[in-house]
Amino acid sequence: MNKDFAFNIKNICFDENYQPSDSTRITTNFANLARGTSRQANLRKTLKMINNSFNAMAHWDNPNGDRYCVELDIISVEMDIEGGDKAFPSIEILKTNIIDHKTNKHIEGIVGNNFSSYVRDYDFSVLLLDHNKDQATFSIPNNFGDLHGKLFQNFVNSTTYKENFNKPPVICLSVSDNKVYRRTENEHPVLGVEYTPNESSLTEQYFKKMGLQVRYFMPPNSVAPFAFYFFGDLLADYTNLELISTISTMGTFQKIYRPEIYNANATAGKCYQPNLKNLDHSLTQIVYDREERSQLAIEQGKRAEEQFIKPYQTVLEQWSANFA
C-alpha cells in the first residue's frame, strides 16, 4: 500500500465567542482558555494582548499603535484512512490573518504557529512512558516519531494543503528548560537576536522527522528566545508582517502558559537557561489550567492509541514502510 491518505480541513474562527469542537485536544492553548466561567474574558484579553503586541512590533507608519489587528483561524485537519466517514482528527494548527485598518486590506499571515496532534500525545505520553517504565536508564523506542513525521509531511505535501495555504507552515514553541542557549551576533529586524542551544533535544529530533529545521530567536520586546520550526529559509521566505503575526500570537500564548520564562521580569542574557521555577515573573490576568493540561495529555494519547494506532496498525505500518 503506497497511496496517500485523504485530508479534510475545517476552519473555526478563534474569537471571544469561540467554543472548542468535540475533536479538539482540550489541552491545546486556545481550547484551555475557552473553558470555565472566565472563558469569554480569557478570550477577549488574549486577543487584545495579541493585537497590542503586533502593533508594538509593526510600529512604522503606525503612530497610534492601532493600525493592525490579527484574526485567527483554528485549522482542524482530519485524515481519512478507509475512504469512508470515519475520519480521525490528526492535526490542529493556527492560521494568522492581518487586517490593515489604514488601507482596509486583508493580509494573509502564517499557518502553523501552535501545533496540536493526538499522535504526538500517543508517542510522548503513552509509547515513551511505557517504553521507560521500570527501566534504570532513559531510552528512546526504535523508530520513535517516524509515523507521525511521515503523516505530517504527507499533509504538507498534499493537494489539500496546497489548495488552502500559499506557504509552508512555521511552528513556534517554547525553549527547553534543560538546555543552555547562547546569544550569537546574528540579529534580524523582526525575529531579533539569534541563540544557539548547547545540544539537541528530543523535541528537535521529533520535529526533524516531520521535515522541519529549527532556529532560536529572541524578538524585540521579548524576554526569552522562541523555537521556530520551519521548512526552507525562515528569514527569506516570509514577510515582516507575516513573522510578526506569529511572534505576537505565540508570544501571547507563552506569556499565559509559560510566565516563568516569557513573562519574566529579567531579559535573557548572553548565556541563558530557562527556569520553570523562576519566581521573578508576572502573571497575566488570564485563567489557564496548567495542571489539567499535564494530566490530560496521557488521556489524549490513549484516545489516539484506541481510535487510530491500534485499529489501523497494519495499514499504517504498510503505508509508512512505502512512504518516500
Side-chain angles (χ1 to χ4, degrees):
M1 175 179 177
N2 55 15
K3 71 173 184 178
D4 290 337
F5 298 125
F7 295 98
N8 180 47
I9 289 178
K10 295 181 179 179
N11 289 26
I12 304 174
C13 181
F14 180 76
D15 57 19
E16 63 181 59
N17 298 312
Y18 164 65
Q19 296 277 1
S21 69
D22 292 338
S23 62
T24 292
R25 291 169 63 251
I26 52 179
T27 58
T28 301
N29 284 325
F30 39 82
N32 190 301
L33 296 174
R35 304 171 67 214
T37 56
S38 302
R39 59 171 308 278
Q40 194 163 57
N42 281 346
L43 296 171
R44 190 178 296 121
K45 291 174 183 176
T46 298
L47 294 168
K48 182 66 174 177
M49 285 176 64
I50 292 171
N51 287 330
N52 287 345
S53 176
F54 188 101
N55 282 289
M57 294 190 69
H59 52 77
W60 57 92
D61 291 337
N62 189 6
N64 297 320
D66 59 358
R67 176 172 175 172
Y68 303 98
C69 72
V70 179
E71 295 182 349
L72 298 172
D73 288 327
I74 299 168
I75 309 298
S76 298
V77 183
E78 295 180 338
M79 187 171 68
D80 185 359
I81 293 181
E82 295 182 321
D85 58 356
K86 294 183 179 180
F88 181 77
S90 59
I91 298 168
E92 205 160 44
I93 48 182
L94 279 176
K95 172 71 164 46
T96 61
N97 303 286
I98 306 154
I99 307 301
D100 185 340
H101 296 301
K102 182 177 180 179
T103 62
N104 291 321
K105 288 185 178 179
H106 177 282
I107 304 167
E108 188 170 355
I110 287 178
V111 65
N113 302 288
N114 193 88
F115 179 73
S116 173
S117 165
Y118 276 111
V119 177
R120 184 173 65 161
D121 281 338
Y122 165 74
D123 282 340
F124 279 91
S125 298
V126 178
L127 180 62
L128 189 61
L129 289 183
D130 288 346
H131 177 76
N132 285 283
K133 187 177 182 180
D134 300 325
Q135 299 298 313
T137 57
F138 180 83
S139 64
I140 307 298
N142 291 333
N143 304 320
F144 182 73
D146 284 6
L147 174 63
H148 181 269
K150 292 173 182 178
L151 290 173
F152 180 77
Q153 291 186 60
N154 188 205
F155 168 62
V156 172
N157 291 318
S158 69
T159 301
T160 302
Y161 184 93
K162 294 173 182 177
E163 288 176 346
N164 285 273
F165 311 112
N166 294 324
K167 293 185 179 182
V170 175
I171 297 167
C172 182
L173 304 181
S174 170
V175 286
S176 172
D177 63 331
N178 59 15
K179 293 201 297 182
V180 176
Y181 300 83
R182 297 186 183 278
R183 187 183 300 178
T184 72
E185 296 300 317
N186 190 37
E187 185 170 0
H188 183 273
V190 169
L191 291 167
V193 180
E194 185 166 18
Y195 279 74
T196 56
N198 63 327
E199 61 183 357
S200 177
S201 69
L202 182 56
T203 298
E204 283 185 15
Q205 297 164 24
Y206 194 81
F207 275 72
K208 186 176 182 179
K209 292 189 175 183
M210 296 162 61
L212 296 164
Q213 309 170 59
V214 63
R215 293 178 74 171
Y216 299 88
F217 286 92
M218 183 169 71
N221 301 324
S222 297
V223 297
F226 295 87
F228 293 89
Y229 289 89
F230 59 95
F231 296 95
D233 188 336
L234 177 66
L235 278 63
D237 293 345
Y238 303 91
T239 68
N240 285 346
L241 291 182
E242 287 173 339
L243 293 172
I244 291 172
S245 72
T246 285
I247 294 167
S248 59
T249 298
M250 298 313 298
T252 294
F253 281 130
Q254 294 296 358
K255 283 182 180 180
I256 297 167
Y257 173 54
R258 286 274 188 258
E260 299 89 347
I261 297 175
Y262 292 100
N263 221 26
N265 295 324
T267 303
K270 294 182 178 180
C271 182
Y272 174 66
Q273 181 168 10
N275 180 9
L276 291 174
K277 296 182 180 180
N278 172 36
L279 298 178
D280 186 25
H281 67 274
S282 301
L283 297 175
T284 63
Q285 296 179 342
I286 297 172
V287 179
Y288 193 101
D289 195 333
R290 293 200 294 181
E291 182 177 350
E292 181 189 53
R293 172 179 171 135
S294 298
Q295 293 172 345
L296 289 175
I298 296 176
E299 179 180 318
Q300 291 169 168
K302 289 181 177 178
R303 175 183 175 182
E305 181 181 35
E306 294 168 359
Q307 298 183 12
F308 184 71
I309 300 297
K310 287 185 175 180
Y312 302 110
Q313 183 173 1
T314 301
V315 173
L316 292 170
E317 288 176 352
Q318 292 175 349
W319 174 84
S320 181
N322 289 284
F323 182 84

